[in-house]
Amino acid sequence: MDRTAFLNSLIEKVADAPAPSRELFAEVWFATTGKQHPDIKGRFAVLMDAKAWTEAALITVACALPDWRVVTKATRGAGEALMLPPDPVDIVPEGSSDTVRHSGGTALAILEAML
């Protein structure tokens, strides 16, 4: 499977996930972050063990896209995330078309937006 097809498949897995899981987060981590310092990998593992899904998603983004920012919004059960490239415009339009909404929560919205 080529890289584009693999990432498209991973995007679909994240989009279809009803809730965060260790297996899904590990798959996204290894597909996007490359070689990381053992302390960072250890921190990611601790966050997954604690089911601190949003923090695990944020550390994944920090390692995969270190110059990017994430804007999130959580509502009951659902979450939204918007990725902002380096040096973005200071004002983020409310309800941007690039905002990802996920019924499984903020952590999954972050991963889907990142991918």
Side-chain angles (χ1 to χ4, degrees):
M1 179 182 294
D2 71 23
R3 180 89 173 144
T4 301
F6 174 72
L7 287 177
N8 285 336
S9 170
L10 196 51
I11 291 167
E12 287 179 24
K13 280 185 186 179
V14 172
D16 293 341
S21 72
R22 184 178 185 87
E23 295 78 17
L24 181 60
F25 271 64
E27 189 171 359
V28 172
W29 172 266
F30 289 112
T32 61
T33 63
K35 186 171 174 66
Q36 293 297 321
H37 188 279
D39 290 345
I40 294 173
K41 284 193 234 180
R43 176 75 179 138
F44 180 73
V46 166
L47 292 171
M48 287 198 312
D49 287 344
K51 296 184 179 182
W53 302 118
T54 300
E55 291 82 358
L58 290 171
I59 198 172
T60 303
V61 170
C63 292
L65 300 168
D67 296 329
W68 288 60
R69 295 183 304 152
V70 181
V71 176
T72 62
K73 179 179 178 184
T75 58
R76 186 176 184 148
E80 296 180 0
L82 173 66
M83 295 296 301
L84 299 174
D87 301 320
V89 177
D90 289 336
I91 299 172
V92 178
E94 185 72 28
S96 171
S97 63
D98 294 331
T99 300
V100 172
R101 291 167 185 78
H102 200 295
S103 62
T106 304
L108 290 171
I110 292 168
L111 292 185
E112 189 176 350
M114 180 191 73
L115 291 168

